[in-house]
Amino acid sequence: MRLSVARLFAYWLDVVMAAAVLIGFQALLYAVTGGFPFDHLEYGYQIMLWVWATISLPVWICFTGCEMRWRQTAGKRLLGIRVIAVGGSGLRFRQALTRTFVKLLPWEATHVILLYPVPWWQGAADTGREWLIIIPNAMMIIYIAVLLAGRGKRALHDYIAGTEVVAR
């Protein structure tokens, strides 16, 4: 399997596994608490903070920690690839965090665009700001183009963090 395809599929696997666990946790919490805190989240900043605390932060910790400690996330492990610093050493904390930040930037931008200052389902889509959703989508196209241009070895977040992905 080409490295670029393996990387895209590994990322997809990581996101699906994280979503299953974290959304499952939220569903369980909703059932156990009778809707708390979900039924009390009214404003965009409240929802955004909840999403950050229960989805984004755990994913950031998982990606950063797994890549720093084991040089791979679960998706990378399943596909036989790992991340290393350019030159072959393990990742330092700053490299792993920078890599995660850049990689998840389109995802976090989507959260902000959809939730702040007013969630879209509460009328924010009628404010003339709906075009902003183009930004994270354009970012993803750029990310994939850089990944393909680098033949899968280095994507945008790798160039910025000084890392590369190799077959195990």
Side-chain angles (χ1 to χ4, degrees):
M1 179 182 306
R2 291 188 56 199
L3 191 55
S4 55
V5 174
R7 287 187 67 169
L8 288 170
F9 192 55
Y11 179 72
W12 180 82
L13 285 171
D14 287 332
V15 169
V16 168
M17 287 186 280
V21 169
L22 297 171
I23 292 171
F25 167 74
Q26 286 187 344
L28 178 65
L29 184 63
Y30 187 88
V32 169
T33 65
F36 182 83
F38 304 94
D39 294 342
H40 301 284
L41 302 173
E42 296 178 32
Y43 303 104
Y45 75 90
Q46 293 172 324
I47 298 167
M48 203 164 75
L49 286 173
W50 175 255
V51 168
W52 184 81
T54 62
I55 301 290
S56 293
L57 184 61
V59 169
W60 278 62
I61 290 169
C62 181
F63 275 41
T64 302
C66 288
E67 290 183 347
M68 196 174 79
R69 179 162 170 85
W70 297 294
R71 299 184 185 184
Q72 57 193 185
T73 58
K76 285 183 185 71
R77 183 174 180 86
L78 288 170
L79 292 167
I81 56 178
R82 65 187 181 124
V83 61
I84 60 172
V86 172
S89 64
L91 271 62
R92 295 184 314 272
F93 174 73
R94 185 175 180 174
Q95 285 178 301
L97 185 62
T98 299
R99 192 172 191 284
T100 299
F101 173 79
V102 175
K103 183 188 330 182
L104 297 180
L105 193 55
W107 188 34
E108 298 301 342
T110 301
H111 291 152
V112 172
I113 291 165
L114 293 179
L115 299 174
Y116 191 80
V118 178
W120 275 28
W121 58 88
Q122 291 180 357
D126 301 329
T127 64
R129 294 181 51 231
E130 56 274 358
W131 67 270
L132 291 173
I133 200 66
I134 293 169
I135 296 169
N137 288 297
M139 290 171 71
M140 289 303 300
I141 291 168
I142 292 166
Y143 282 30
I144 292 169
V146 172
L147 174 69
L148 295 175
R151 297 184 179 210
K153 193 166 186 152
R154 298 185 81 192
L156 186 62
H157 49 278
D158 293 305
Y159 285 107
I160 293 171
T163 59
E164 60 188 359
V165 171
V166 296
R168 217 174 350 158

